[in-house]
Amino acid sequence: QAQVPKCLHPDWDRGDQPGLRPLRDPLAMAAITCTGDAASEVDSAQPQLSREATELGDGAGDSHSHAQAGGQTLEKSEGTAGGSSELPLEKKVRVALIALFSAVGSTLFGLDIGYIGPIIESLSFKEDIAHTDGLIPSSTEGLIVSLFSIGAIFTAFPVISSYFLDQWGRKVSIMIGSAIFIIGSLVQLTAWSDAQLLVGRFIAGMSIGLLSSVIVLYQSEVAPASMRGALSTLYQLGITFGILLAAFIDQVIVDRHEGWRVVMGIICLPALFLLVGMLFLPRSPRWLVQQNRRKEALAVLKTIREEADAVREEEEIFQELERSREEDEPAWSDLFSGRVARLLVLGILLQSLQQLVGMNAFMYFGPQIFESIGFSKNLFTTINNLVNFLSTFPAVMLADRAGRRSLMLWSSVGMTVACSLMGLIGLLFVTQEDTADEGEAAWVVSNHNAGWVIAISAFFFVFNFAFGFGPIVWVYCAEI
C-alpha cells in the first residue's frame, strides 16, 4: 500500500459515488475511484501497478473489472463508474443494432444445426443422396453431421482464424465467412451423391468456424463495458433463433418432393443478407488502431460513444498496444507457460464441455430421439427448439447482473439433474428391440408415462443449457 497512490487504498472512497464494491485489482480500483491529481498519480504508477496486478493473478471472475474482451483490457472503461458519461439512448440503440445484426452469422450456425436432422430423415433426401427409401446407415448419418464440425475446427484453429482476424479484420472476416457459407450451401443443394454432399458440409462448416471466432470478438470490441455481457450473449441467441427457424421451415417444406433442396436454398438468404449488410457496419476500433488507422478508429468510436469517452478509449487502446509492442514479440510458445497457459486450458475446457454436455445429441438427432419414445418427431423437435430459443433470453437479461460464473454453475446443476433423470428412466423402461429394417435395432419405451418423463427432462435439460452454458461460455472466453 505504501507503493501505490492513496486513492487506491481499499478504505478510500469517493463521496459522490457511494456503494462501490472494494476491488482487489489496483488498476481496476484506480479506474473507478481516482480523479484529478490522484488520477495523475495513478498514471505515473501504472507500469508498476500493471506488474502487481499481473502478480496478483486474479483469474477471470464474474466482475468485468478482471475481464479482457477480445484482448482489450476493461479495467479503465468499466461503465459509468469510471468517469464515463451515460451513453445516450440513440447510441445504445446503434451499438445494440450492430451487435444484433452481426449475430446473423450465428443464426447461420443455428440453421445448419436445426435443418440437418429432419432432412436426413426425409424420404426425398434418402432417395436423392443415399439412393434408398429405407434407413440411411448410422455411420453415414454421423459422417454427414460430423464433417460440418470438422470444417469448423479447421478454420477456427488459431493459426488460420488469427490470420483472417489480424490481416483482414473482424468486419471483412464476417463477410468472408458469409460467402463461404453460401458456397457450401450451393454445393449441398446441387448434390446427387453423398460425396458431393459431404464436400458441401465441410465447406459450410469452414464458414461457421470462422464466424464463431470473429462474431463475439467483434461484438465485444464494439460494445461499451456496461453492455458487453448482454450483447455478447446475442451470439447464442442467434444460434437458437436459427435452430427454431430451421425447425419451422422443415415442418412446412422438408417432406415435399426435393423439399430439402428448397431448404438449402432458403438458408442462403440470411448469409447473403449478412454479406451485403456488413458493408454498412463499422470496423472494429481496436483493429483499426492495430493497423495504425487511429483517425478512423476515433471516428468509429464517436458514433458509438460519447465524444470524451471515445477519445479516452482510443488513447487507452493505443497505449495498451504500444506497451505490447515494447515487450518481446509474442510467440506461440507463450501459450504454454504461466498464466496464459492456465487461461488457454480454461478456455479449451469450457468450449469442449459446452459441446460435450449432450446438447448436440438433441439438436442433431432430436427427431430420432423423440420418435423412439413414441412422439411426433418433427413436432417435438420444434417444441424443443422453441424452448431453446426462449430460454436464451434470461441469459441476455442476467449476464451483466448475476455474473457469468453463477449462470454456468446453475446451468450445470440443472443439466446434471435432467441427465440423471433421463438415464434412470432409460435404465428402467427403455429396451432395445430388433427390427426387420436392414437389421437395425430400435430403442423402445415400454411405458408411455416414462416417455413423457424423458421428453420433459429433455426440455428441462435444454432450458438449463440455453440460459447458462450455451451463451455464457462464448462471453467468458472472449473476456479472459
Side-chain angles (χ1 to χ4, degrees):
Q1 292 175 354
Q3 296 175 355
V4 299
K6 65 180 181 180
C7 68
L8 299 187
H9 193 283
D11 296 330
W12 190 88
D13 191 14
R14 281 176 55 181
D16 60 338
Q17 291 191 25
L20 292 175
R21 291 187 300 171
L23 298 173
R24 291 174 292 171
D25 188 330
L27 281 179
M29 193 180 298
I32 293 180
T33 59
C34 298
T35 58
D37 294 336
S40 299
E41 279 187 83
V42 173
D43 289 338
S44 63
Q46 187 163 341
Q48 179 173 344
L49 292 175
S50 297
R51 291 191 297 271
E52 292 178 1
T54 302
E55 291 167 2
L56 282 175
D58 289 322
D62 288 339
S63 172
H64 275 307
S65 305
H66 304 287
Q68 275 192 314
Q72 177 179 350
T73 53
L74 306 181
E75 289 94 345
K76 297 185 72 176
S77 60
E78 190 56 37
T80 57
S84 300
S85 53
E86 178 69 19
L87 198 63
L89 178 61
E90 63 271 17
K91 293 193 175 181
K92 284 185 177 180
V93 171
R94 178 178 173 81
V95 171
L97 288 176
I98 291 172
L100 184 62
F101 185 85
S102 62
V104 172
S106 62
T107 300
L108 302 179
F109 193 1
L111 284 169
D112 184 89
I113 294 173
Y115 81 74
I116 195 62
I119 279 179
I120 290 175
E121 291 295 300
S122 70
L123 180 61
S124 177
F125 178 84
K126 293 175 181 178
E127 292 174 345
D128 291 344
I129 300 300
H131 307 296
T132 179
D133 56 1
L135 291 175
I136 298 177
S138 299
S139 58
T140 303
E141 286 187 359
L143 189 59
I144 291 172
V145 171
S146 62
L147 260 180
F148 181 86
S149 300
I150 293 172
I153 291 172
F154 177 74
T155 47
F157 193 70
V159 176
I160 296 174
S161 62
S162 62
Y163 165 76
F164 286 99
L165 298 180
D166 293 337
Q167 298 300 318
W168 293 88
R170 287 58 156 150
K171 173 181 173 177
V172 176
S173 294
I174 294 175
M175 297 172 67
I176 293 172
S178 304
I180 295 174
F181 187 88
I182 294 173
I183 294 171
S185 297
L186 291 176
V187 172
Q188 295 177 77
L189 185 153
T190 57
W192 286 97
S193 66
D194 54 0
Q196 181 178 339
L197 181 82
L198 293 174
V199 171
R201 293 287 295 163
F202 182 82
I203 295 173
M206 289 172 59
S207 75
I208 298 304
L210 180 57
L211 291 172
S212 297
S213 301
V214 67
I215 289 175
V216 179
L217 182 62
Y218 178 75
Q219 291 171 330
S220 65
E221 290 180 346
V222 171
S226 59
M227 301 173 65
R228 189 168 288 121
L231 294 184
S232 296
T233 61
L234 292 178
Y235 182 84
Q236 181 68 18
L237 184 65
I239 293 177
T240 60
F241 176 72
I243 294 171
L244 179 63
L245 182 60
F248 280 113
I249 294 173
D250 283 338
Q251 280 273 76
V252 176
I253 298 174
V254 76
D255 287 329
R256 299 181 181 180
H257 179 64
E258 294 197 348
W260 70 274
R261 298 186 190 274
V262 178
V263 175
M264 292 281 188
I266 291 174
I267 66 172
C268 289
L269 297 179
L272 182 62
F273 179 58
L274 180 63
L275 175 62
V276 175
M278 285 302 299
L279 292 170
F280 305 96
L281 265 61
R283 284 186 176 272
S284 160
R286 182 175 183 82
W287 183 81
L288 289 171
V289 175
Q290 285 177 326
Q291 304 300 312
N292 294 317
R293 295 159 63 175
R294 295 185 63 185
K295 289 184 179 180
E296 293 179 56
L298 182 58
V300 170
L301 284 169
K302 285 182 178 179
T303 65
I304 53 179
R305 306 282 193 276
E306 284 284 67
E307 185 165 349
D309 296 338
V311 173
R312 180 171 58 252
E313 185 170 334
E314 190 277 335
E315 181 63 26
E316 288 171 357
I317 295 172
F318 175 74
Q319 293 297 336
E320 180 199 338
L321 292 174
E322 284 297 296
R323 286 194 297 271
S324 299
R325 288 165 183 159
E326 290 172 2
E327 298 173 356
D328 294 335
E329 190 69 21
W332 286 107
S333 59
D334 294 342
L335 289 172
F336 306 104
S337 62
R339 190 181 186 201
V340 174
R342 294 195 296 273
L343 292 177
L344 175 66
V345 171
L346 174 62
I348 291 174
L349 284 174
L350 286 174
Q351 289 283 0
S352 299
L353 289 171
Q354 185 196 53
Q355 300 302 311
L356 294 172
V357 292
M359 184 64 171
N360 288 333
F362 295 106
M363 294 298 102
Y364 286 117
F365 302 107
Q368 294 96 314
I369 293 173
F370 289 113
E371 186 178 38
S372 70
I373 56 178
F375 298 111
S376 169
K377 57 183 181 181
N378 286 341
L379 175 61
F380 270 71
T381 298
T382 302
I383 295 172
N384 191 51
N385 294 339
L386 180 62
V387 171
N388 187 29
F389 175 64
L390 295 177
S391 301
T392 307
F393 283 96
V396 177
M397 294 182 288
L398 296 174
D400 290 318
R401 299 178 183 177
R404 289 85 160 110
R405 195 169 69 105
S406 297
L407 288 174
M408 286 193 290
L409 281 170
W410 284 109
S411 172
S412 61
V413 169
M415 288 188 292
T416 301
V417 171
C419 284
S420 300
L421 185 56
M422 281 187 282
L424 178 62
I425 297 299
L427 288 172
L428 296 176
F429 298 103
V430 177
T431 58
Q432 195 172 27
E433 297 180 358
D434 292 333
T435 63
D437 205 345
E438 299 187 13
E440 295 256 349
W443 293 96
V444 179
V445 179
S446 60
N447 185 295
H448 186 66
N449 291 331
W452 273 106
V453 173
I454 293 175
I456 293 172
S457 297
F459 297 152
F460 184 66
F461 173 89
V462 170
F463 163 74
N464 281 278
F465 178 88
F467 80 76
F469 250 81
I472 301 303
V473 166
W474 297 107
V475 180
Y476 199 86
C477 289
E479 290 180 335
I480 64 174

